Amino acid sequence: YINRFFPSRIRPNLQHMCSKCLTQTQMDVFLLKMFIVALSVTSKGSLDEKLDWAFSLYDLDGDGYISSAEMLSIVTSIYEMVGNMLILPKDEDTPQKRVRKIFMQMDQDQDGRLTRQEFKEGSKMDPFIVQALSIDYDQSKIEPKKS
């Protein structure tokens, strides 16, 4: 299933993240379920439901926090999937810069990890995140990169 639903550039990262604790069959079932949930939540869930789902996606080890390393792993996969299709601000043009910026904005107690509450509150203050989770966002605000 992973080969059918996820772009080839991010498959190795997804497989690596999941292979530590799942057999190939369990991983395929997990990824299919995750894909179905993602479609459902991102197409018709409330913003809070979408943010809860996103938090669960970023919290790779399930400890209830998002570490900088976990965030970097997901953001790197997203940047690889998007490729050079978007022009990003200079302070967000690499996964490392984006993660650093996210943590500076969201990590209220500066302990190097995000709680669910910090993630949700911070995400609601970030227009890019809100826009990405909105089903009917205004695409004119996203500037496509010219070839």
Side-chain angles (χ1 to χ4, degrees), residues 41-52:
V41 170
T42 58
S43 66
K44 56 186 168 183
S46 69
L47 181 58
D48 277 330
E49 290 170 323
K50 292 174 186 183
L51 291 172
D52 279 328

Side-chain angles (χ1 to χ4, degrees), residues 15-145:
Q15 288 174 330
H16 176 72
M17 288 183 276
C18 295
S19 67
K20 291 182 178 183
C21 58
L22 303 173
T23 67
Q24 184 64 43
T25 302
Q26 289 171 322
M27 184 169 53
D28 287 345
V29 170
F30 168 77
L31 290 171
L32 178 59
K33 286 180 181 178
M34 192 172 193
F35 178 75
I36 292 168
V37 168
L39 284 177
S40 176
V41 170
T42 58
S43 66
K44 56 186 168 183
S46 69
L47 181 58
D48 277 330
E49 290 170 323
K50 292 174 186 183
L51 291 172
D52 279 328
W53 176 82
F55 182 88
S56 299
L57 177 70
Y58 282 86
D59 180 16
L60 297 174
D61 63 8
D63 67 353
Y65 299 94
I66 301 172
S67 70
S68 178
E70 289 172 318
M71 177 75 69
L72 182 60
S73 180
I74 300 294
V75 171
T76 298
S77 294
I78 292 169
Y79 273 50
E80 288 173 358
M81 185 171 51
V82 172
N84 293 324
M85 295 185 332
L86 301 177
I87 297 173
L88 298 168
K90 190 72 175 153
D91 64 341
E92 296 181 12
D93 62 359
T94 68
Q96 293 81 4
K97 288 180 183 178
R98 178 68 176 147
V99 169
R100 192 175 314 116
K101 184 175 180 181
I102 288 170
F103 268 77
M104 287 178 62
Q105 292 173 342
M106 293 186 188
D107 190 10
Q108 297 170 358
D109 58 7
Q110 299 177 359
D111 65 351
R113 60 188 189 170
L114 301 177
T115 64
R116 183 178 298 269
Q117 182 177 347
E118 286 174 324
F119 177 77
K120 289 174 74 172
E121 288 175 8
S123 294
K124 288 176 183 178
M125 301 303 290
D126 186 318
F128 184 78
I129 293 172
V130 172
Q131 185 179 45
L133 292 174
S134 297
I135 189 67
D136 43 336
Y137 61 89
D138 181 0
Q139 291 192 8
S140 67
K141 294 180 182 176
I142 298 177
E143 184 179 349
K145 190 166 188 174

